[in-house]
Amino acid sequence: MSALTYRRAGLVTRDQTRGLSLSMVIFIGAVGVGFLLVALLIVAMDGFDGPEARSVWENSAYATRYYPLALGIMLTPVYLALGVANGVTRRAFSLGAMGTVVVIAAIMAVFEAVGYALENGLYQLAGLTQELTTPHLFDSGTQVWISVPEVGITVAGNVAAGLLIGTTYYRWGRLWPTIALPLTFAPALAVEALMSVGWPGGLMIDLWGIERRPLWLVIPTSLLVIALTFAATHVLVRTTAVHPQA
Amino acid sequence: MTLGIDVQGLTVRYGDVTAIDDLSVSLAGGKIYGLLGRNGSGKTTLMSSIAAFMRVEHGQVLVGGQQPYENPAITEQVYLIRESGDFADQESVRGQLRRTKRFRPQWDGEFAERLLELFQVPDRRTVSRLSRGQRSALGITLGLAARAPVTMLDESYLGMDAPTRYAFYDILLEDYMQHPRTFIISTHLIEEVSRLFEEVVILDRGRLIAHEETETLRMKGAAVTGPASVVERFTDGMTVLSERRLGGTKSVTVLGEMGERQRDVAQAHGLELEPVGLQDLFVHLTKEGPA
């Protein structure tokens, strides 16, 4: 691939992240303020009655996975025609979109990790211990060096799946992509199941008794799943025509 | 910088429909080309193939001697502005300008500002809140200010009102003189835009039916004007494309080149001879039931 392709892929990432930035700022503000209000409400209702208090922030994981998933679904339908109309090749678009996935995952990872650390600190101030109820790679919200990669990889899995789903819908319309949804959404579930985190990890452990494999195995395997999802998207995008205008 | 376009044996099918049928045409570049054809004649498909909006499956399209599809050196030099524009509807006009500046190496920001002002496009408004005319004007602004060596306008200015369209024609000519490049303009407003065209390409049902210099094409017929009875006698037996009558004066557009002798006869009878209108010729060349 030429240097021009990489340069333009970088521009695509910049263009997409800039385009999504306002929506992401609103999302982060809404989730942050929303969960703070919920925590305050629980405190006001005297909801924490023991030395161990369930993490309220942990529930934000659903939002920080599925909102980025929705962003991923939008990328090809919204930005492919814009990119091609502006002289971007599909190869550069696909690489740029992967860059956007990484940026979204990184932002969500830092957001989540800061939330866990803040909650942990606030609980400690109140004399409580933060209790995590779904499986994680980290034991405490203060382990930012573990929570950032955990959330980053799981969110990347979700956004990469979203990118694949959106590309199939743009290319083939409604019927076949809907039938194929279990397949195209599978990477998102696979990443969390492989790392035994979140609700898919909980299912693996609690329902089927499958314990987490060593990290040296599950992290590269999860990254491989994400890479394969990107590869599938890349192959599709490379041959996708821009839709005619109605 | 100008780039030529060479299309050889291009065939494009959408299911059972053949949009382009074994089309071959070469455009030298550095000119303003009019691309004419009835609805469904394949104009948009041809431009989409040149702009790499779609992959060429049968035949070959070359821009500057290279295939455009997935060729970044070519795609950044080619700009197709479609009728409704390719915009992110929830972004502002300013945001669209930023995007085009980002991707178009020859972008002229000052010219873009001038065009926005000329066309009265509110730059802080989101695209979804623009009127149809403003949306068209935004597409034109981006297309002209990008200064792409191959710029294609696919009915891009249909939403603009007449005064704005005329302002656009003037500014296009002015900019073309200062920055020569290849323009391909697809339009149904033939009479209005024909003064811009240096060459005309006419498609019908996916096939090339004419590619000539505009003046050569216009000389393929004549508008004969004068006293009604004299005009009728003079044009008797000729292929009549259209007729107009005002009182005792009649104007008849006929097909076929006028020879020296016919011109002398016309002059002797006080008849005026003018080149045929492009629209009359287009209607004749492409007529066969409604599209």
Side-chain angles (χ1 to χ4, degrees):
Chain A
M1 261 179 273
S2 66
L4 182 57
T5 296
Y6 287 115
R7 201 169 70 235
R8 289 179 80 76
L11 292 177
V12 169
T13 301
R14 250 175 73 189
D15 185 54
Q16 292 179 351
T17 46
R18 180 158 189 150
L20 300 173
S21 59
L22 178 63
S23 150
M24 288 194 32
V25 166
I26 292 171
F27 168 79
I28 286 172
V31 170
V33 170
F35 275 87
L36 187 65
L37 289 177
V38 170
L40 289 173
L41 198 67
I42 293 172
V43 170
M45 293 167 67
D46 209 12
F48 298 123
D49 50 1
E52 289 213 333
R54 291 178 119 192
S55 168
V56 174
W57 184 244
E58 205 175 19
N59 295 298
S60 71
Y62 295 102
T64 55
R65 274 152 190 67
Y66 300 126
Y67 166 75
L69 172 83
L71 293 184
I73 291 171
M74 281 166 46
L75 284 179
T76 298
V78 172
Y79 286 101
L80 180 64
L82 284 181
V84 173
N86 278 292
V88 173
T89 59
R90 288 152 184 81
R91 193 187 294 119
F93 171 82
S94 175
L95 291 175
M98 290 174 204
T100 305
V101 170
V102 172
V103 170
I104 293 172
I107 290 170
M108 289 301 152
V110 170
F111 176 50
E112 275 279 287
V114 166
Y116 279 120
L118 263 178
E119 185 185 62
N120 189 286
L122 289 172
Y123 278 18
Q124 279 188 15
L125 278 177
L128 299 165
T129 307
Q130 182 187 38
E131 184 195 0
L132 302 168
T133 52
T134 52
H136 291 281
L137 301 182
F138 53 92
D139 304 315
S140 156
T142 55
Q143 292 174 311
V144 174
W145 62 94
I146 305 176
S147 57
V148 167
E150 179 199 302
V151 179
I153 292 170
T154 50
V155 173
N158 277 274
V159 194
L163 180 61
L164 177 63
I165 292 167
T167 303
T168 58
Y169 274 94
Y170 184 78
R171 183 170 174 143
W172 285 301
R174 291 181 201 156
L175 180 64
W176 291 111
T178 304
I179 291 168
L181 260 180
L183 185 68
T184 48
F185 185 59
L189 296 176
V191 166
E192 291 190 62
L194 278 166
M195 296 210 300
S196 302
V197 296
W199 67 264
L203 273 182
M204 297 274 290
I205 296 166
D206 300 337
L207 212 63
W208 298 310
I210 303 169
E211 291 300 321
R212 178 181 297 133
R213 302 291 151 193
L215 289 185
W216 63 262
L217 179 66
V218 297
I219 289 184
T221 314
S222 303
L223 293 175
L224 180 67
V225 169
I226 295 170
L228 288 173
T229 312
F230 280 150
T233 306
H234 189 68
V235 168
L236 287 181
V237 166
R238 289 289 309 280
T239 51
T240 296
V242 171
H243 289 183
Q245 292 184 323
Chain B
M1 182 187 184
T2 58
L3 294 172
I5 295 163
D6 190 28
V7 178
Q8 293 302 326
L10 178 67
T11 298
V12 181
R13 291 192 189 91
Y14 300 111
D16 297 339
V17 179
T18 303
I20 299 271
D21 190 3
D22 195 23
L23 177 73
S24 296
V25 60
S26 289
L27 309 179
K31 289 183 179 176
I32 301 180
Y33 295 91
L35 179 59
L36 310 180
R38 301 178 67 185
N39 292 333
S41 60
K43 305 185 296 291
T44 300
T45 303
L46 174 61
M47 288 190 282
S48 297
S49 303
I50 295 168
F53 276 44
M54 58 199 296
R55 195 164 52 158
V56 171
E57 305 274 357
H58 305 284
Q60 180 175 259
V61 172
L62 298 177
V63 178
Q66 296 181 54
Q67 195 222 112
Y69 193 81
E70 291 298 82
N71 183 344
I74 294 299
T75 52
E76 72 174 12
Q77 309 292 336
V78 179
Y79 198 174
L80 168 60
I81 298 100
R82 301 197 284 179
E83 186 184 342
S84 307
D86 284 290
F87 311 123
D89 278 1
Q90 295 312 312
E91 289 179 9
S92 67
V93 167
R94 189 66 47 203
Q96 313 302 316
L97 262 63
R98 258 197 309 270
R99 169 172 298 112
T100 312
K101 179 186 176 185
R102 195 170 284 148
F103 290 111
R104 293 293 175 184
Q106 293 97 344
W107 175 253
D108 184 338
E110 279 178 28
F111 186 42
E113 297 295 338
R114 188 180 143 209
L115 292 174
L116 283 187
E117 204 177 310
L118 176 74
F119 298 139
Q120 298 176 356
V121 180
D123 63 346
R124 305 222 171 273
R125 194 171 289 177
T126 53
V127 174
S128 60
R129 292 182 56 221
L130 294 179
S131 68
R132 189 176 172 220
Q134 288 169 332
R135 212 179 151 95
S136 296
L138 175 60
I140 293 295
T141 298
L142 300 178
L144 291 183
R147 296 244 167 83
V150 176
T151 302
M152 296 181 284
L153 305 169
D154 186 9
E155 310 275 4
S156 322
Y157 45 91
L158 272 189
M160 293 155 80
D161 58 27
T164 317
R165 285 201 306 272
Y166 279 90
F168 156 62
Y169 304 145
D170 290 341
I171 202 101
L172 184 144
L173 263 185
E174 179 194 314
D175 195 52
Y176 169 69
M177 301 298 274
Q178 288 170 7
H179 304 274
R181 52 203 196 266
T182 306
F183 276 102
I184 301 177
I185 301 174
S186 146
T187 186
H188 289 300
L189 304 172
I190 299 170
E191 281 305 295
E192 211 175 281
V193 203
S194 61
R195 67 183 171 101
L196 299 178
F197 302 154
E198 291 171 86
E199 287 185 22
V200 174
V201 175
I202 302 179
L203 300 184
D204 192 37
R205 281 168 284 186
R207 294 181 178 203
L208 180 73
I209 57 167
H211 174 204
E212 304 260 17
E213 285 188 357
T214 311
E215 282 316 303
T216 310
L217 202 59
R218 291 186 71 200
M219 295 308 283
K220 292 199 178 232
V224 184
T225 309
S229 57
V230 184
V231 169
E232 277 164 15
R233 269 201 311 276
F234 183 78
T235 56
D236 189 33
M238 295 182 182
T239 307
V240 174
L241 301 183
S242 67
E243 289 184 2
R244 263 171 243 132
R245 188 169 183 150
L246 186 65
T249 305
K250 191 169 185 181
S251 179
V252 175
T253 304
V254 292
L255 188 68
E257 283 181 46
M258 291 286 163
E260 199 64 36
R261 198 177 145 269
Q262 277 172 303
R263 287 182 180 280
D264 289 343
V265 171
Q267 198 175 13
H269 287 85
L271 298 175
E272 272 181 46
L273 288 185
E274 285 175 20
V276 69
L278 206 53
Q279 181 151 300
D280 287 330
L281 198 60
F282 168 76
V283 170
H284 170 73
L285 290 172
T286 59
K287 77 175 169 199
E288 197 162 318

PDB file of all heavy atoms in Angstrom, chain B residues 173-188:
ATOM      1  N   LEU B 173     -17.099  29.745 -15.924  1.00  0.00           N
ATOM      2  CA  LEU B 173     -16.268  30.145 -17.072  1.00  0.00           C
ATOM      3  C   LEU B 173     -15.041  30.922 -16.616  1.00  0.00           C
ATOM      4  O   LEU B 173     -13.923  30.666 -17.069  1.00  0.00           O
ATOM      5  CB  LEU B 173     -17.095  31.006 -18.032  1.00  0.00           C
ATOM      6  CG  LEU B 173     -17.721  30.295 -19.212  1.00  0.00           C
ATOM      7  CD1 LEU B 173     -18.403  31.298 -20.129  1.00  0.00           C
ATOM      8  CD2 LEU B 173     -16.664  29.533 -20.018  1.00  0.00           C
ATOM      9  N   GLU B 174     -15.292  31.860 -15.694  1.00  0.00           N
ATOM     10  CA  GLU B 174     -14.197  32.693 -15.190  1.00  0.00           C
ATOM     11  C   GLU B 174     -13.121  31.819 -14.531  1.00  0.00           C
ATOM     12  O   GLU B 174     -11.925  31.972 -14.802  1.00  0.00           O
ATOM     13  CB  GLU B 174     -14.791  33.680 -14.169  1.00  0.00           C
ATOM     14  CG  GLU B 174     -13.792  34.615 -13.521  1.00  0.00           C
ATOM     15  CD  GLU B 174     -14.408  35.290 -12.299  1.00  0.00           C
ATOM     16  OE1 GLU B 174     -15.560  35.776 -12.372  1.00  0.00           O
ATOM     17  OE2 GLU B 174     -13.719  35.321 -11.253  1.00  0.00           O
ATOM     18  N   ASP B 175     -13.560  30.878 -13.720  1.00  0.00           N
ATOM     19  CA  ASP B 175     -12.601  30.030 -13.011  1.00  0.00           C
ATOM     20  C   ASP B 175     -11.885  29.068 -13.963  1.00  0.00           C
ATOM     21  O   ASP B 175     -10.703  28.781 -13.807  1.00  0.00           O
ATOM     22  CB  ASP B 175     -13.319  29.243 -11.909  1.00  0.00           C
ATOM     23  CG  ASP B 175     -12.334  28.634 -10.934  1.00  0.00           C
ATOM     24  OD1 ASP B 175     -11.480  29.388 -10.413  1.00  0.00           O
ATOM     25  OD2 ASP B 175     -12.376  27.415 -10.710  1.00  0.00           O
ATOM     26  N   TYR B 176     -12.631  28.617 -14.964  1.00  0.00           N
ATOM     27  CA  TYR B 176     -12.051  27.704 -15.960  1.00  0.00           C
ATOM     28  C   TYR B 176     -10.955  28.411 -16.766  1.00  0.00           C
ATOM     29  O   TYR B 176      -9.921  27.819 -17.087  1.00  0.00           O
ATOM     30  CB  TYR B 176     -13.176  27.205 -16.871  1.00  0.00           C
ATOM     31  CG  TYR B 176     -12.723  26.467 -18.095  1.00  0.00           C
ATOM     32  CD1 TYR B 176     -12.123  25.204 -18.011  1.00  0.00           C
ATOM     33  CD2 TYR B 176     -12.892  27.016 -19.359  1.00  0.00           C
ATOM     34  CE1 TYR B 176     -11.718  24.536 -19.147  1.00  0.00           C
ATOM     35  CE2 TYR B 176     -12.492  26.351 -20.501  1.00  0.00           C
ATOM     36  CZ  TYR B 176     -11.898  25.107 -20.384  1.00  0.00           C
ATOM     37  OH  TYR B 176     -11.489  24.433 -21.510  1.00  0.00           O
ATOM     38  N   MET B 177     -11.188  29.693 -17.075  1.00  0.00           N
ATOM     39  CA  MET B 177     -10.179  30.447 -17.818  1.00  0.00           C
ATOM     40  C   MET B 177      -8.907  30.600 -16.981  1.00  0.00           C
ATOM     41  O   MET B 177      -7.795  30.515 -17.491  1.00  0.00           O
ATOM     42  CB  MET B 177     -10.702  31.848 -18.183  1.00  0.00           C
ATOM     43  CG  MET B 177     -11.957  31.842 -19.024  1.00  0.00           C
ATOM     44  SD  MET B 177     -11.710  31.065 -20.614  1.00  0.00           S
ATOM     45  CE  MET B 177     -11.114  32.427 -21.555  1.00  0.00           C
ATOM     46  N   GLN B 178      -9.093  30.827 -15.683  1.00  0.00           N
ATOM     47  CA  GLN B 178      -7.925  31.026 -14.813  1.00  0.00           C
ATOM     48  C   GLN B 178      -7.255  29.712 -14.432  1.00  0.00           C
ATOM     49  O   GLN B 178      -6.040  29.668 -14.223  1.00  0.00           O
ATOM     50  CB  GLN B 178      -8.348  31.768 -13.535  1.00  0.00           C
ATOM     51  CG  GLN B 178      -8.670  33.224 -13.788  1.00  0.00           C
ATOM     52  CD  GLN B 178      -9.311  33.890 -12.585  1.00  0.00           C
ATOM     53  OE1 GLN B 178      -9.405  33.303 -11.507  1.00  0.00           O
ATOM     54  NE2 GLN B 178      -9.768  35.113 -12.769  1.00  0.00           N
ATOM     55  N   HIS B 179      -8.051  28.661 -14.302  1.00  0.00           N
ATOM     56  CA  HIS B 179      -7.515  27.351 -13.893  1.00  0.00           C
ATOM     57  C   HIS B 179      -8.055  26.285 -14.837  1.00  0.00           C
ATOM     58  O   HIS B 179      -8.979  25.544 -14.484  1.00  0.00           O
ATOM     59  CB  HIS B 179      -7.925  27.025 -12.446  1.00  0.00           C
ATOM     60  CG  HIS B 179      -7.516  28.060 -11.464  1.00  0.00           C
ATOM     61  ND1 HIS B 179      -6.278  28.084 -10.875  1.00  0.00           N
ATOM     62  CD2 HIS B 179      -8.179  29.135 -10.988  1.00  0.00           C
ATOM     63  CE1 HIS B 179      -6.196  29.128 -10.066  1.00  0.00           C
ATOM     64  NE2 HIS B 179      -7.335  29.783 -10.115  1.00  0.00           N
ATOM     65  N   PRO B 180      -7.478  26.181 -16.027  1.00  0.00           N
ATOM     66  CA  PRO B 180      -8.018  25.215 -17.004  1.00  0.00           C
ATOM     67  C   PRO B 180      -8.004  23.792 -16.450  1.00  0.00           C
ATOM     68  O   PRO B 180      -7.036  23.382 -15.814  1.00  0.00           O
ATOM     69  CB  PRO B 180      -7.045  25.339 -18.185  1.00  0.00           C
ATOM     70  CG  PRO B 180      -6.362  26.640 -18.011  1.00  0.00           C
ATOM     71  CD  PRO B 180      -6.304  26.881 -16.540  1.00  0.00           C
ATOM     72  N   ARG B 181      -9.082  23.119 -16.650  1.00  0.00           N
ATOM     73  CA  ARG B 181      -9.197  21.715 -16.232  1.00  0.00           C
ATOM     74  C   ARG B 181     -10.322  21.068 -17.033  1.00  0.00           C
ATOM     75  O   ARG B 181     -10.939  21.730 -17.854  1.00  0.00           O
ATOM     76  CB  ARG B 181      -9.435  21.603 -14.724  1.00  0.00           C
ATOM     77  CG  ARG B 181     -10.583  22.426 -14.171  1.00  0.00           C
ATOM     78  CD  ARG B 181     -10.312  22.635 -12.672  1.00  0.00           C
ATOM     79  NE  ARG B 181     -11.444  23.075 -11.882  1.00  0.00           N
ATOM     80  CZ  ARG B 181     -11.682  24.354 -11.622  1.00  0.00           C
ATOM     81  NH1 ARG B 181     -10.936  25.299 -12.134  1.00  0.00           N
ATOM     82  NH2 ARG B 181     -12.709  24.690 -10.841  1.00  0.00           N
ATOM     83  N   THR B 182     -10.575  19.804 -16.771  1.00  0.00           N
ATOM     84  CA  THR B 182     -11.623  19.100 -17.523  1.00  0.00           C
ATOM     85  C   THR B 182     -12.940  19.185 -16.754  1.00  0.00           C
ATOM     86  O   THR B 182     -13.009  18.775 -15.595  1.00  0.00           O
ATOM     87  CB  THR B 182     -11.232  17.620 -17.711  1.00  0.00           C
ATOM     88  OG1 THR B 182      -9.945  17.561 -18.307  1.00  0.00           O
ATOM     89  CG2 THR B 182     -12.244  16.894 -18.570  1.00  0.00           C
ATOM     90  N   PHE B 183     -13.941  19.734 -17.385  1.00  0.00           N
ATOM     91  CA  PHE B 183     -15.283  19.751 -16.794  1.00  0.00           C
ATOM     92  C   PHE B 183     -16.186  18.852 -17.632  1.00  0.00           C
ATOM     93  O   PHE B 183     -16.152  18.921 -18.869  1.00  0.00           O
ATOM     94  CB  PHE B 183     -15.884  21.161 -16.819  1.00  0.00           C
ATOM     95  CG  PHE B 183     -15.476  22.030 -15.666  1.00  0.00           C
ATOM     96  CD1 PHE B 183     -14.506  23.001 -15.832  1.00  0.00           C
ATOM     97  CD2 PHE B 183     -16.062  21.881 -14.425  1.00  0.00           C
ATOM     98  CE1 PHE B 183     -14.125  23.816 -14.776  1.00  0.00           C
ATOM     99  CE2 PHE B 183     -15.688  22.686 -13.359  1.00  0.00           C
ATOM    100  CZ  PHE B 183     -14.715  23.664 -13.535  1.00  0.00           C
ATOM    101  N   ILE B 184     -16.954  18.033 -16.978  1.00  0.00           N
ATOM    102  CA  ILE B 184     -18.012  17.291 -17.669  1.00  0.00           C
ATOM    103  C   ILE B 184     -19.324  17.704 -17.002  1.00  0.00           C
ATOM    104  O   ILE B 184     -19.476  17.524 -15.787  1.00  0.00           O
ATOM    105  CB  ILE B 184     -17.806  15.770 -17.576  1.00  0.00           C
ATOM    106  CG1 ILE B 184     -16.455  15.385 -18.200  1.00  0.00           C
ATOM    107  CG2 ILE B 184     -18.943  15.037 -18.284  1.00  0.00           C
ATOM    108  CD1 ILE B 184     -16.124  13.915 -18.099  1.00  0.00           C
ATOM    109  N   ILE B 185     -20.202  18.273 -17.794  1.00  0.00           N
ATOM    110  CA  ILE B 185     -21.449  18.793 -17.226  1.00  0.00           C
ATOM    111  C   ILE B 185     -22.627  18.048 -17.836  1.00  0.00           C
ATOM    112  O   ILE B 185     -22.847  18.100 -19.047  1.00  0.00           O
ATOM    113  CB  ILE B 185     -21.573  20.307 -17.504  1.00  0.00           C
ATOM    114  CG1 ILE B 185     -20.366  21.042 -16.893  1.00  0.00           C
ATOM    115  CG2 ILE B 185     -22.873  20.856 -16.948  1.00  0.00           C
ATOM    116  CD1 ILE B 185     -20.315  22.515 -17.235  1.00  0.00           C
ATOM    117  N   SER B 186     -23.332  17.347 -16.966  1.00  0.00           N
ATOM    118  CA  SER B 186     -24.524  16.632 -17.415  1.00  0.00           C
ATOM    119  C   SER B 186     -25.725  17.503 -17.092  1.00  0.00           C
ATOM    120  O   SER B 186     -25.829  18.036 -15.978  1.00  0.00           O
ATOM    121  CB  SER B 186     -24.600  15.302 -16.676  1.00  0.00           C
ATOM    122  OG  SER B 186     -25.924  14.952 -16.449  1.00  0.00           O
ATOM    123  N   THR B 187     -26.593  17.690 -18.056  1.00  0.00           N
ATOM    124  CA  THR B 187     -27.715  18.600 -17.805  1.00  0.00           C
ATOM    125  C   THR B 187     -28.905  18.298 -18.700  1.00  0.00           C
ATOM    126  O   THR B 187     -28.761  17.703 -19.770  1.00  0.00           O
ATOM    127  CB  THR B 187     -27.277  20.061 -18.041  1.00  0.00           C
ATOM    128  OG1 THR B 187     -28.335  20.931 -17.664  1.00  0.00           O
ATOM    129  CG2 THR B 187     -26.903  20.320 -19.497  1.00  0.00           C
ATOM    130  N   HIS B 188     -30.078  18.725 -18.225  1.00  0.00           N
ATOM    131  CA  HIS B 188     -31.267  18.738 -19.079  1.00  0.00           C
ATOM    132  C   HIS B 188     -31.574  20.169 -19.534  1.00  0.00           C
ATOM    133  O   HIS B 188     -32.431  20.371 -20.377  1.00  0.00           O
ATOM    134  CB  HIS B 188     -32.473  18.171 -18.322  1.00  0.00           C
ATOM    135  CG  HIS B 188     -32.390  16.689 -18.104  1.00  0.00           C
ATOM    136  ND1 HIS B 188     -32.312  15.793 -19.144  1.00  0.00           N
ATOM    137  CD2 HIS B 188     -32.356  15.944 -16.975  1.00  0.00           C
ATOM    138  CE1 HIS B 188     -32.243  14.558 -18.662  1.00  0.00           C
ATOM    139  NE2 HIS B 188     -32.254  14.626 -17.350  1.00  0.00           N
TER     140      HIS B 188
END
